[in-house]
């Protein structure tokens, strides 16, 4: 109207879908068009749309390659809200079996693991969270691991466990001695690094009787 141009998408959407399933000269242009439409029409619904796509990709005839490309695009660096929203609802089967390599790498980050641990099936991600915590602690980045450790605590199994030991060690190295002692009570036979922190904490607070068992443990 006058100097103002307007555009209307009224039909041929199935044709776009059909062409996207076929590799050809216009593949990149079609993907760019669909990306634009998703952001322009439903910018706040992208995580939900991706969860739906991931569910379809778990079916025998799912378009896994196309879904993987869309998920990689919309959960790229900087799209933290899209990634968190997607991880909160995506099927576990997709994340563990069908997810593209780029997304699988993101699943090992503290931020992603915090979201995964909060899911109803969050206990299934505890092993990955322990591995990431171990890597951070061994790299002298215990403070970086603190938010992840806080998310792990509700998922820790009762009694002695490797997960509990690493949470205790991360807290101790980050200066959270009281929390470390509460979550991972001192015991002879604990990892040497963890026992060393307990020993120092007991000596720092003038509790030589508490420190003695660990000193004997180190001498052995």
């Amino acid at each position: 109207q006058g100097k103002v141009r307007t555009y209307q998408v009224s039909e041929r959407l199935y044709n776009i879908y059909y062409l996207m399933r076929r590799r050809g000269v216009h593949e990149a242009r079609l993907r760019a068009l669909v990306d634009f439409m998703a952001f322009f029409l439903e910018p706040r619904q992208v995580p939900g749309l991706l969860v739906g796509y991931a569910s379809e990709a778990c079916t025998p005839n799912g378009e896994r390659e196309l879904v993987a490309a869309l998920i990689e695009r919309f959960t790229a660096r900087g799209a933290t809200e899209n990634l968190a929203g997607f991880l909160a609802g995506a099927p576990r089967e997709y994340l563990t079996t069908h997810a593209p390599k780029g997304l699988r790498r993101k699943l090992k980050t503290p931020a992603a693991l915090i979201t995964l641990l909060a899911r109803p099936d969050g206990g299934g991600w505890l092993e990955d969270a322990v591995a990431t915590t171990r890597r951070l602690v061994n790299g002298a980045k215990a403070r970086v691991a603190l938010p992840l450790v806080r998310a792990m605590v509700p998922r820790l199994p009762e009694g002695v466990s490797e997960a509990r030991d690493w949470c205790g060690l991360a807290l101790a190295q980050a200066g959270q001695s009281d929390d470390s002692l509460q979550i991972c009570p001192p015991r002879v036979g604990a990892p040497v690094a963890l026992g060393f922190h307990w020993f120092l904490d007991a000596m720092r607070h003038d509790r030589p009787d508490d420190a003695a068992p660990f000193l004997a443990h180190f001498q052995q």
Side-chain angles (χ1 to χ4, degrees):
Q1 298 177 359
K3 295 183 179 181
V4 178
R5 292 184 178 181
T6 59
Y7 299 87
Q8 179 180 1
V9 180
S10 60
E11 57 183 14
R12 301 188 66 76
L13 292 179
Y14 181 80
N15 180 252
I16 293 176
Y17 165 72
Y18 173 78
L19 291 174
M20 286 191 70
R21 297 179 62 184
R22 299 170 59 89
R23 293 191 174 278
V25 178
H26 303 296
E27 179 184 3
R29 184 179 299 178
L30 285 166
R31 289 185 182 277
L33 173 61
V34 172
D35 286 353
F36 167 77
M37 291 171 66
F39 274 122
F40 182 74
L41 299 176
E42 292 287 351
R44 291 172 294 182
Q45 302 299 321
V46 169
L49 292 172
L50 295 181
V51 168
Y53 295 153
S55 299
E56 293 178 9
C58 294
T59 62
N61 298 321
E63 295 287 343
R64 291 172 186 165
E65 187 175 347
L66 176 58
V67 169
L70 290 171
I71 289 174
E72 288 261 62
R73 186 68 170 270
F74 289 116
T75 59
R77 182 179 297 179
T80 54
E81 292 182 1
N82 286 343
L83 178 60
F86 173 68
L87 294 181
R92 179 177 174 82
E93 178 186 350
Y94 183 80
L95 296 176
T96 58
T97 306
H98 306 302
K101 291 182 179 179
L103 179 59
R104 291 189 185 185
R105 286 194 294 269
K106 290 186 176 70
L107 298 182
K108 307 296 184 182
T109 62
L113 286 167
I114 289 172
T115 300
L116 293 170
L117 288 167
R119 290 164 47 116
D121 61 352
W125 303 98
L126 184 59
E127 184 177 347
D128 291 330
V130 171
T132 296
T133 300
R134 182 193 300 118
R135 174 175 55 80
L136 291 172
V137 169
N138 289 337
K141 297 180 179 179
R143 288 195 173 276
V144 177
L146 276 181
L148 176 57
V149 169
R150 301 292 186 193
M152 290 169 61
V153 169
R155 298 291 185 180
L156 292 176
E158 295 292 335
V160 176
S161 67
E162 181 186 20
R164 194 172 289 276
D165 284 344
W166 280 106
C167 284
L169 183 56
L171 289 165
Q173 287 192 2
Q176 309 290 321
S177 297
D178 291 342
D179 289 343
S180 176
L181 292 171
Q182 182 178 1
I183 292 170
C184 193
R187 60 183 176 84
V188 175
V192 174
L194 186 54
F196 179 68
H197 278 282
W198 285 330
F199 173 78
L200 290 181
D201 185 73
M203 295 299 293
R204 188 180 300 115
H205 291 87
D206 194 24
R207 300 198 309 268
D209 292 341
D210 292 339
F214 298 108
L215 182 60
H217 174 60
F218 297 145
Q219 289 173 340
Q220 293 174 2

